[in-house]
Amino acid sequence: MYPTPTAAPEAPTTEPALRRVLGLPSLVAFGLTSMGILSVVAVYGAGTEISDGHLPAAYVAALVAMLFTAHSYGQMARHVPVTGGAYAYASSAFGKPIGFLVGWAMMLDYLFLPMVNFLLFGLYLNSLVPGIPPQLAVLACLLVVGLFSVIGVGWIKKMNLVVVGASVLVILAFVVLAVLNAPELSMESLVRPLTPGAGGIAPVMAAAAIVAFAFLGFDGVSTLSEETRHPKRDVPRGIILSTLFAGLGYTLFSVAGSLIAPDWRSIANLDAAGTELMQRAGGDVLMVVFVLVNLGGLVLCGTAAQMSVSRVIYAMGRDRILPGILAKLQPRFRTPFVAALLVSAVSLVALFITLEQAVYMINFGALIAFAVVNLATIKVLFFDLRSRGFRGTARNLVLPVLGFASVAWLWTSLAWFTYLLGAAWLVVGLVVFLARRRRPGGLETLDFG
């Protein structure tokens, strides 16, 4: 039985505590930058092709599926308001070994998510300034993100708000110009992409399984509980609102895209569909503005991902599952700088891998965490705390079950290579856990209040 926590537990007094500076707007901005509002362009081509021009319908389906899991994260964040996200929730529900393996799986997601942003930054900057080699741009982005991760959320929250605002303005400008310059504008042209086509619901659901990965990152909000002024109230709201706003933005963008390019087969390069759509709607000016804002968004999206994983590593170091030095905080900024620098060192791998390889590594860890958080919500709230009745059953059993089912559905879209890499990563994690367990003081009891 887990008692309902009455206050957010503080970090151990032997180290300076993380600084509580975040409110709800900052959490929503962090969630949006973690997902990357303009990341819709990265999967626009593939999603449109698979859905046969019904990408907006696929985004609506993906948003509904992700909101179930976002709800579970919000419920657990309210009852386990400490840093660590899914690692802390799984440890609370199922014990330290399961918690460690979930945290280890999360690291696979979070360690490679910054690399995806670094690689995209290199590709976009090279497309804007061909004289800059992509690898040099990747290294520059990596170093800037490493610096931002040490500076901490107090500074980054302001930049997040600026980039989110700029991204929203770009999307709104694109929508307005797409409507004004659409080859055909009618109620039918607006509704058609939001409904299944001649192929039925199957192509839409297949595309939804792909574009759902544009939502990866909303869970990063849950790692900031100990840096939030009112974590039990604002972290759950931040998770839900950032997921909802991102989904609405993705859907609005894809509807506008279907207006400016009603025949998706007319797009010359589906891999670079975003820049082509921007150019069709607003010419070179909008296209260049889009690339510049997207570059800023990629830097902050990489920063958000790196901050999230560094806090998971910090929490695991604080619990002595990983070496205790990883829980060391920078005295001035009170950030887990050792963990952040470790992530930067690992991110140097981005200089030697492809974007496709990095994406393969992300999906496995994210879906492990999503699945376990849904199960943890059922275990802790429905069974242990007996939060039932009509409302409790709906919130703590029905919605998490739907969340788990939606994650199971997403598993079907993964490539076989992802399962192989993920299984190998978990085996390595099990070896690390067993090695740490044998060390004196290697496992401290988690205190969730």
Side-chain angles (χ1 to χ4, degrees):
M1 180 72 65
Y2 294 87
T4 303
T6 57
E10 299 294 334
T13 57
T14 54
E15 291 284 350
L18 294 167
R19 182 172 292 159
R20 294 189 181 275
V21 296
L22 299 178
L24 182 58
S26 298
L27 290 173
V28 173
F30 184 91
L32 290 172
T33 52
S34 294
M35 289 178 276
I37 299 179
L38 296 180
S39 66
V40 59
V41 302
V43 293
Y44 185 93
T48 298
E49 183 177 18
I50 294 170
S51 66
D52 193 22
H54 296 267
L55 182 60
Y59 266 117
V60 171
L63 172 60
V64 172
M66 285 295 99
L67 281 174
F68 291 135
T69 296
H71 165 80
S72 291
Y73 268 90
Q75 289 292 87
M76 290 303 295
R78 183 176 290 110
H79 290 271
V80 186
V82 297
T83 195
Y87 156 69
Y89 308 154
S91 297
S92 174
F94 304 114
K96 187 67 69 67
I98 298 298
F100 172 81
L101 288 177
V102 171
W104 187 261
M106 284 173 62
M107 283 198 286
L108 188 63
D109 167 18
Y110 284 147
L111 284 172
F112 281 86
L113 190 55
M115 296 186 206
V116 168
N117 289 281
F118 301 156
L119 290 165
L120 286 172
F121 183 90
L123 293 173
Y124 274 111
L125 187 59
N126 178 256
S127 69
L128 192 65
V129 187
I132 300 178
Q135 285 188 313
L136 180 60
V138 167
L139 181 60
C141 186
L142 188 155
L143 294 175
V144 171
V145 166
L147 176 63
F148 284 171
S149 298
V150 173
I151 290 175
V153 295
W155 291 80
I156 302 305
K157 67 175 184 178
K158 300 174 184 177
M159 289 184 278
N160 281 344
L161 291 170
V162 170
V163 169
V164 166
S167 299
V168 169
L169 289 176
V170 168
I171 290 178
L172 291 178
F174 172 67
V175 170
V176 171
L177 291 171
V179 169
L180 293 176
N181 298 313
E184 172 195 356
L185 183 62
S186 65
M187 184 59 67
E188 194 274 337
S189 65
L190 286 170
V191 174
R192 184 179 63 244
L194 286 164
T195 58
I201 195 67
V204 171
M205 299 307 289
I210 300 301
V211 302
F213 295 111
F215 291 89
L216 296 185
F218 73 82
D219 52 311
V221 177
S222 67
T223 67
L224 301 177
S225 288
E226 291 180 30
E227 291 161 277
T228 302
R229 289 191 292 270
H230 304 288
K232 292 172 65 178
R233 183 192 68 189
D234 288 344
V235 170
R237 293 177 180 177
I239 292 170
I240 294 293
L241 288 175
S242 59
T243 306
L244 181 61
F245 291 160
L248 294 176
Y250 296 157
T251 304
L252 187 62
F253 182 96
S254 55
V255 168
S258 68
L259 289 177
I260 200 68
D263 181 8
W264 63 267
R265 296 173 185 83
S266 67
I267 300 175
N269 184 1
L270 286 174
D271 291 335
T275 53
E276 185 171 337
L277 292 174
M278 290 288 174
Q279 196 162 34
R280 287 193 189 190
D284 290 340
V285 173
L286 183 61
M287 188 267 290
V288 171
V289 170
F290 158 74
V291 172
L292 290 175
V293 173
N294 201 24
L295 287 174
L298 288 170
V299 172
L300 290 181
C301 185
T303 302
Q306 184 153 324
M307 288 171 62
S308 295
V309 69
S310 64
R311 278 142 185 81
V312 174
I313 294 172
Y314 161 80
M316 296 172 79
R318 191 173 67 185
D319 297 330
R320 300 297 188 266
I321 292 180
L322 294 179
I325 192 174
L326 295 172
K328 190 173 180 60
L329 297 180
Q330 206 281 336
R332 178 180 176 185
F333 301 112
R334 286 195 251 168
T335 55
F337 74 105
V338 176
L341 293 176
L342 174 64
V343 177
S344 292
V346 173
S347 295
L348 290 170
V349 173
L351 297 173
F352 310 103
I353 63 174
T354 66
L355 180 61
E356 185 179 15
Q357 289 169 333
V359 171
Y360 272 139
M361 302 296 285
I362 289 173
N363 298 336
F364 183 88
L367 294 185
I368 286 282
F370 288 1
V372 174
V373 169
N374 281 301
L375 295 178
T377 303
I378 298 171
K379 167 68 166 54
V380 172
L381 300 180
F382 188 77
F383 287 107
D384 293 342
L385 293 178
R386 298 183 181 276
S387 179
R388 299 176 183 178
F390 177 79
R391 184 179 180 185
T393 299
R395 298 179 65 179
N396 304 322
L397 179 63
V398 176
L399 293 180
V401 166
L402 291 174
F404 183 83
S406 67
V407 171
W409 160 58
L410 291 176
W411 275 100
T412 63
S413 69
L414 298 182
W416 68 269
F417 188 64
T418 307
Y419 297 110
L420 184 63
L421 288 174
W425 179 256
L426 288 179
V427 169
V428 173
L430 184 60
V431 171
V432 171
F433 178 81
L434 293 175
R436 292 294 303 174
R437 188 177 184 180
R438 293 192 179 97
R439 294 171 62 93
L443 291 177
E444 294 185 355
T445 302
L446 285 175
D447 177 15
F448 295 107

